[in-house]
């Protein structure tokens, strides 16, 4: 019996699988795997290659001798069988003659294939390939520039194959790229692969963190998944081909990356590795590094495929070979890479460098006004000296008039210089342009805050979604439990009533017989007239008196009661009537009352002796039919209880389906909104990069213009008047 599907399934651990694989004759039923020989560790246990979702074992078939890689899943993956069937069908349609290399491996998804404990679990039976991981291959071959460059071209061919057929691996990284003995790639681990047939389903993983864009989210799943990873790997291979020393300089021994890691993408400004590549003498390395830096914060669906930007001819293997920088700027896009044209609105880019260049830093040719200002100063000095000589020094204020006039004339002449007007115009333009741009630091801080807010909201949503699903499921199970309790309670009550019908029939028959016997006795008593068979001592006169009180037959009284007569201290008697009333009949004393009572009892005894001892058949059938109708009603009620319970179960299921659909719809809408926000973050990042560069250029130009403006100061102008510079 296979385990139920769903997120509640508890899959075995890798150790549990290894223990089961010690007895492949018992744990497998598949003819190729039954009795297969696993590769063992030094301790004699099946050797496992463990990952986040599965453990992979190498087994040699006892039937064919063929070696297989068998993937045993340790975690549940939604729609797992459907995904593998779609992937298998898509890969099977690929024409190997049209592929750059035989990179795809055959596999077969086997549900309920391996028994671990009491459960049956699926496995993936894959073709075994003798190959090494990309990082291991580079460790051994990074010094062979020709081989590395050739491998880079083959990697580009692999990504082109995937792009042409709208396939995305989902986790391109050194561990999933195997290099065979002929230096061609083999692509493994298809768990997160996207094919067009899976459009609409969500992703199952986010890929290795050291190869993924910071913009990749949980809801990203499409043909563009591999684009950032492809650029990162291609950059690493081309950089090593250009400069093998980069491998030892930037790669860490046993590191889970090639040359760049997650922090290099998240914080390009603080990345030593990225700065090293951006400053590399090889132009192609610089261009590819700049491309990766530019792509790090772009939405995945806006990234260009590697094949679009890489020439299709074999590059030269010399280190000096270079290709046009892939991040070349498109004209009229405000500093955007060409591939982003059309995704981000073009900006009106000013030319601060040119503006700063035309800002004059000194005075040039003297004008007649300058000459007049230059002549006025000597004249003012002469006049001031003469005024002292002729004795006008008493008028101190008057002595300074010529100098003030000369200074005012100089200020006026300086203000009329074209250089001053040009400098002010340049400063005004640069200040205006700088004022139009938001402070990059504040904009970056706001962008980080908004992105962190979105990440937190997405994290909360990712955590809340399964909780909401669990709540809906719990409500469903609670409704089922309540329906079952209500059904059991009603059925128990009904069964108790049905079980009591036998006793009820017995009581009904007994009562009917008792009623029939009582009716017989009453009838016999009503037939015995006192006047026809009077008791001893009861003559016609007393019979007439009794009749006058309504006592004519034995049925008209039930006995007597003795009474004491006070005046004479004598004992009398009254007759008790059927309703409990009493009748005091003249002439009926205690003795005659006793005679009447004895007579009545004799009549009763005679009637009882002749009363029926059983019900007639019609009478019994009538009672039994009534009980039968009651039994049928209770049986119908019991059936109705089951029907009501089924209705309650269906209603609970309907509410569960509606709740799950609502949650899925809300989650999808929230994911779409998050994706749009990430795209907006990408656009804002591009704009921020533009504004940051522009802000720095404008600030530099403005500072340059201010420095140049110092050359137009008043002292410099006075010097210019007499020196000419």
């Amino acid at each position: 019996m296979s385990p139920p599907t769903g997120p509640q399934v508890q899959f075995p651990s890798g150790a549990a699988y290894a223990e089961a694989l010690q007895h492949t004759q018992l744990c497998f039923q598949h003819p190729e795997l039954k009795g297969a020989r696993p590769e063992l560790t030094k301790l004699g246990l099946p050797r496992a290659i463990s990952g986040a979702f599965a453990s992979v074992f190498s087994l040699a078939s006892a039937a064919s001798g063929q070696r297989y890689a068998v993937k045993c899943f340790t975690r549940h993956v939604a729609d797992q069988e459907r995904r593998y069937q779609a992937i298998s069908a898509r890969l099977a349609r690929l024409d190997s003659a049209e592929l750059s290399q035989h990179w795809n491996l055959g596999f077969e998804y086997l549900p309920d294939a391996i028994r671990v404990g009491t459960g049956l679990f699926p496995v993936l039976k894959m073709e075994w390939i003798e190959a090494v991981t990309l990082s291991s291959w580079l460790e051994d071959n990074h010094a062979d520039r020709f081989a590395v460059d050739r491998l880079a071209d083959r990697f580009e061919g692999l990504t082109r194959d995937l792009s042409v057929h709208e396939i995305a691996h989902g986790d391109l990284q050194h561990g999933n790229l195997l290099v065979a003995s002929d230096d061609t790639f083999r692509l493994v681990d298809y768990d997160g692969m996207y094919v067009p047939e899976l459009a609409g389903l969500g992703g199952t993983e986010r890929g290795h963190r050291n190869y993924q864009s910071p913009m990749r989210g949980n809801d990203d799943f499409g043909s563009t998944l591999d684009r950032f990873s492809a650029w990162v790997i291609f950059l690493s291979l081309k950089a090593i081909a250009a400069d093998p020393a980069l491998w030892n300089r930037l790669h860490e021994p046993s590191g889970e990356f090639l040359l760049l890691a997650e922090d290099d993408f998240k914080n390009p400004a603080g990345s030593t590795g990225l700065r090293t590549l951006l400053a590399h003498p090889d132009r192609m390395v610089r261009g590819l590094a700049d491309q990766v830096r530019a792509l790090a914060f772009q939405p995945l669906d806006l990234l260009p495929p590697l094949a679009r930007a890489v020439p299709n001819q074999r590059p030269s293997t010399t280190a000096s070979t270079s290709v046009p920088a892939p991040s070349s700027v498109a004209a009229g896009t405000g500093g955007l890479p060409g591939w982003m044209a059309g995704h981000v609105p073009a900006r009106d880019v000013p030319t601060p460098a040119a503006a700063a260049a035309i800002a004059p830093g000194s005075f040039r040719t003297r004008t007649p006004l300058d000459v007049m200002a230059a002549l006025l100063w000597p004249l003012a000095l002469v006049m001031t000296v003469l005024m002292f000589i002729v004795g006008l020094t008493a008028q101190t204020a008057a002595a300074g008039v010529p100098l003030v006039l000369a200074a005012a004339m100089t200020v006026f002449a300086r203000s009329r210089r074209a250089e001053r007007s040009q400098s002010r115009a340049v400063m005004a333009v640069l200040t205006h342009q700088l004022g139009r741009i938001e402070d990059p630091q504040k904009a970056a801080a706001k962008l980080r805050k908004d992105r962190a807010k979105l990440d937190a909201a997405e994290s909360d949503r990712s955590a809340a979604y399964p909780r909401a699903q669990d709540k809906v499921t719990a409500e469903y199970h609670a409704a089922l439990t309540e329906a079952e309790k209500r059904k059991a309670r009603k059925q128990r009550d009904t069964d108790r009533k049905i079980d009591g019908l036998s006793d009820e029939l017995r009581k009904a028959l007994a009562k009917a017989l008792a009623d029939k016997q009582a009716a017989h006795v009453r009838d016999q008593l009503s037939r015995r007239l006192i006047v026809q068979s009077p008791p001893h001592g009861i003559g016609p006169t007393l019979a007439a008196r009794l009749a006058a009180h309504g006592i004519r037959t034995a049925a008209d009284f039930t006995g007597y009661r003795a009474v004491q007569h006070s005046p004479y201290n004598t004992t009398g008697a009254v007759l008790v009537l059927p309703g409990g009333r009493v009748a005091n009949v003249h002439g009926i004393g205690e003795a005659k009352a006793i005679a009447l009572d004895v007579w009545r009892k004799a009549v009763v005894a005679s009637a009882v002796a002749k009363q029926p001892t059983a019900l007639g058949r019609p009478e019994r059938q009538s009672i039994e039919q009534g009980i039968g109708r009651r039994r049928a009603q209770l049986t119908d009620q019991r059936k109705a209880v089951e029907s009501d319970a089924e209705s309650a179960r269906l209603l609970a299921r309907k509410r569960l389906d509606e709740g799950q659909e609502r949650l899925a719809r809300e989650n999808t809408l929230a994911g779409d909104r998050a994706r749009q926000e990430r795209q907006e973050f990408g656009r804002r990042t591009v704009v921020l990069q533009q504004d940051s560069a522009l802000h720095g250029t404008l600030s530099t130009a403005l500072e340059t213009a201010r420095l140049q403006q110092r050359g137009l100061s008043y002292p410099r102008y006075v010097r210019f008047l007499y020196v000419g510079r």
Side-chain angles (χ1 to χ4, degrees):
M1 177 180 178
S2 62
T5 59
Q8 74 278 8
V9 176
Q10 183 64 44
F11 278 77
S13 64
Y17 280 120
E19 182 178 353
L21 286 172
Q22 295 182 68
H23 310 284
T24 56
Q25 189 70 28
L26 300 176
C27 69
F28 286 123
Q29 293 299 319
H30 190 279
E32 280 288 288
L33 300 180
K34 188 177 182 65
R37 298 183 303 277
E39 181 183 350
L40 303 178
T41 65
K42 294 180 180 179
L43 298 177
L45 298 174
R47 184 185 304 279
I49 302 174
S50 298
F53 293 88
S55 290
V56 179
F57 299 88
S58 173
L59 282 83
S61 173
S64 64
Q66 178 74 33
R67 182 164 290 278
Y68 296 100
V70 176
K71 173 176 281 191
C72 300
F73 300 97
T74 56
R75 287 177 59 184
H76 172 75
V77 177
D79 304 310
Q80 187 178 64
E81 184 171 359
R82 174 187 173 187
R83 290 175 185 269
Y84 275 118
Q85 287 175 347
I87 295 168
S88 176
R90 184 68 172 183
L91 296 181
R93 292 198 301 271
L94 297 179
D95 185 353
S96 58
E98 296 179 355
L99 300 179
S100 62
Q101 58 215 286
H102 183 58
W103 50 263
N104 56 318
L105 300 179
F107 66 88
E108 183 180 3
Y109 181 83
L110 303 175
D112 301 342
I114 184 171
R115 180 177 296 279
V116 180
T118 59
L120 289 173
F121 299 90
V123 301
L124 198 68
K125 181 172 72 72
M126 302 175 290
E127 175 186 347
W128 181 265
I129 180 67
E130 294 294 340
V132 297
T133 64
L134 176 58
S135 56
S136 297
W137 187 92
L138 286 172
E139 184 68 40
D140 296 334
N141 298 277
H142 64 272
D144 188 342
R145 294 161 61 180
F146 177 84
V148 176
D149 194 73
R150 181 179 58 192
L151 195 67
D153 294 340
R154 285 176 175 165
F155 175 73
E156 185 273 324
L158 166 60
T159 62
R160 190 187 324 115
D161 292 341
L162 294 172
S163 179
V164 167
H165 293 92
E166 297 183 309
I167 299 173
H169 180 269
D171 189 18
L172 281 185
Q173 44 112 334
H174 65 272
N176 291 332
L177 288 165
L178 304 185
V179 184
S181 57
D182 60 352
D183 288 352
T184 59
F185 282 105
R186 300 293 184 271
L187 195 56
V188 298
D189 191 1
Y190 301 159
D191 291 350
M193 180 172 280
Y194 169 85
V195 295
E197 290 77 9
L198 296 180
L201 294 183
T204 60
E205 58 182 64
R206 294 185 64 173
H208 198 298
R209 61 187 180 86
N210 288 332
Y211 293 84
Q212 298 304 319
S213 165
M215 297 297 291
R216 180 170 176 177
N218 293 327
D219 49 359
D220 285 312
F221 190 60
S223 60
T224 60
L225 280 180
D226 295 335
R227 292 186 175 179
F228 185 79
S229 307
W231 281 103
V232 171
I233 296 170
F234 187 74
L235 163 62
S236 300
L237 292 174
K238 283 295 184 181
I240 295 169
D243 184 359
L246 289 173
W247 176 256
N248 292 325
R249 188 184 310 166
L250 300 181
H251 178 75
E252 296 178 2
S254 302
E256 290 296 309
F257 62 93
L258 297 180
L259 299 185
L260 299 176
E262 180 183 26
D263 291 341
D264 298 308
F265 313 138
K266 286 188 173 181
N267 184 22
S271 167
T272 302
L274 199 53
R275 285 204 306 268
T276 300
L277 297 177
L278 288 169
H280 197 274
D282 187 277
R283 179 168 173 254
M284 180 178 62
V285 174
R286 294 197 308 273
L288 288 172
D290 186 55
Q291 178 75 319
V292 169
R293 179 178 62 175
L295 300 180
F297 290 97
Q298 312 309 324
L300 296 186
D301 54 358
L302 294 184
L303 302 187
L306 182 62
R308 184 187 302 171
V310 178
N312 288 328
Q313 68 271 14
R314 175 184 294 278
S316 169
T317 58
T318 62
S320 60
T321 301
S322 62
V323 296
S327 58
S328 57
V329 176
T333 59
L336 286 177
W339 62 270
M340 282 292 288
H343 295 294
V344 177
R347 297 169 60 81
D348 181 16
V349 182
T351 55
I358 64 173
S362 61
F363 297 103
R364 291 185 286 273
T365 307
R366 284 177 287 196
T367 65
L369 190 60
D370 298 326
V371 175
M372 291 177 59
L375 294 175
L376 189 58
W377 273 105
L379 182 59
L381 290 172
V382 170
M383 291 180 64
T384 301
V385 171
L386 289 175
M387 291 176 71
F388 273 98
I389 293 174
V390 298
L392 296 178
T393 55
Q395 299 291 333
T396 305
V401 169
L403 296 177
V404 171
L405 289 175
M409 181 61 183
T410 305
V411 170
F412 175 74
R414 175 173 170 267
S415 67
R416 304 298 293 177
R417 291 292 304 185
E419 293 88 348
R420 289 271 298 169
S421 300
Q422 291 176 1
S423 179
R424 284 194 298 269
V426 169
M427 293 279 289
V429 168
L430 293 175
T431 302
H432 175 69
Q433 291 175 350
L434 195 59
R436 290 171 56 189
I437 301 174
E438 186 179 2
D439 186 339
Q441 292 185 347
K442 292 182 179 179
K446 187 175 186 304
L447 179 59
R448 286 193 299 271
K449 181 179 179 181
D450 292 345
R451 184 179 286 118
K453 183 178 179 181
L454 175 63
D455 290 342
E458 282 297 279
S459 178
D460 292 343
R461 179 174 69 87
S462 298
Y465 181 51
R467 287 200 302 268
Q469 288 181 313
D470 291 343
K471 181 180 178 181
V472 171
T473 304
E475 291 174 351
Y476 166 68
H477 289 299
L480 291 184
T481 302
E482 179 59 29
E484 287 300 315
K485 288 182 178 178
R486 188 164 53 250
K487 182 188 79 171
R489 184 170 60 251
K490 290 184 177 180
Q491 286 182 339
R492 187 168 55 251
D493 293 343
T494 304
D495 291 342
R496 187 170 58 251
K497 291 178 181 178
I498 292 175
D499 293 340
L501 288 178
S502 298
D503 189 54
E504 188 175 335
L505 175 61
R506 181 182 58 78
K507 290 180 179 179
L509 291 174
K511 183 178 182 303
L513 179 59
D515 291 344
K516 184 176 181 178
Q517 291 174 338
H520 171 79
V521 171
R522 282 195 304 272
D523 179 68
Q524 292 299 312
L525 292 178
S526 64
R527 292 176 183 273
R528 296 294 297 273
L529 297 174
I530 296 175
V531 71
Q532 290 181 351
S533 56
H536 178 73
I538 302 299
T541 302
L542 287 177
R545 291 177 183 172
L546 289 170
H549 283 82
I551 303 173
R552 295 180 179 84
T553 68
D556 295 334
F557 71 100
T558 60
Y560 78 96
R561 186 187 305 164
V563 295
Q564 196 74 25
H565 297 296
S566 299
Y568 305 103
N569 195 22
T570 59
T571 301
V574 293
L575 298 178
V576 180
L577 303 181
R581 296 181 296 107
V582 295
N584 187 5
V585 181
H586 179 67
I588 302 297
E590 183 178 14
K592 290 190 173 45
I594 291 173
L596 282 170
D597 185 57
V598 170
W599 174 76
R600 182 181 181 281
K601 288 179 178 178
V603 174
V604 169
S606 176
V608 169
K610 298 177 181 179
Q611 70 183 359
T613 58
L615 294 174
R617 184 177 181 81
E619 295 170 325
R620 187 178 184 90
Q621 284 181 343
S622 176
I623 294 173
E624 289 176 344
Q625 288 173 356
I627 296 297
R629 287 191 296 271
R630 176 64 175 155
R631 186 183 299 277
Q633 290 174 353
L634 290 174
T635 302
D636 291 341
Q637 289 179 9
R638 198 181 194 287
K639 292 179 180 179
V641 168
E642 179 61 39
S643 178
D644 292 343
E646 180 61 23
S647 298
R649 287 192 291 267
L650 292 175
L651 179 60
R653 183 68 197 187
K654 180 182 178 183
R655 289 175 177 171
L656 172 64
D657 293 341
E658 290 175 348
Q660 289 178 333
E661 290 176 2
R662 174 180 55 80
L663 290 174
R665 185 169 57 253
E666 292 174 352
N667 190 59
T668 300
L669 291 175
D672 291 341
R673 288 194 296 269
R675 188 181 300 108
Q676 292 172 358
E677 288 189 51
R678 286 197 182 93
Q679 292 176 351
E680 176 62 16
F681 287 152
R683 187 198 66 79
R684 287 171 59 185
T685 301
V686 174
V687 173
L688 178 59
Q689 290 172 348
Q690 292 176 304
D691 287 351
S692 180
L694 185 56
H695 190 278
T697 304
L698 286 171
S699 298
T700 301
L702 184 60
E703 184 63 27
T704 301
R706 285 173 178 158
L707 291 174
Q708 290 176 324
Q709 196 177 45
R710 294 178 183 177
L712 305 179
S713 63
Y714 185 85
R716 291 290 184 89
Y717 178 67
V718 173
R719 176 185 172 186
F720 165 73
L721 291 179
Y722 297 103
V723 179
R725 55 186 177 84

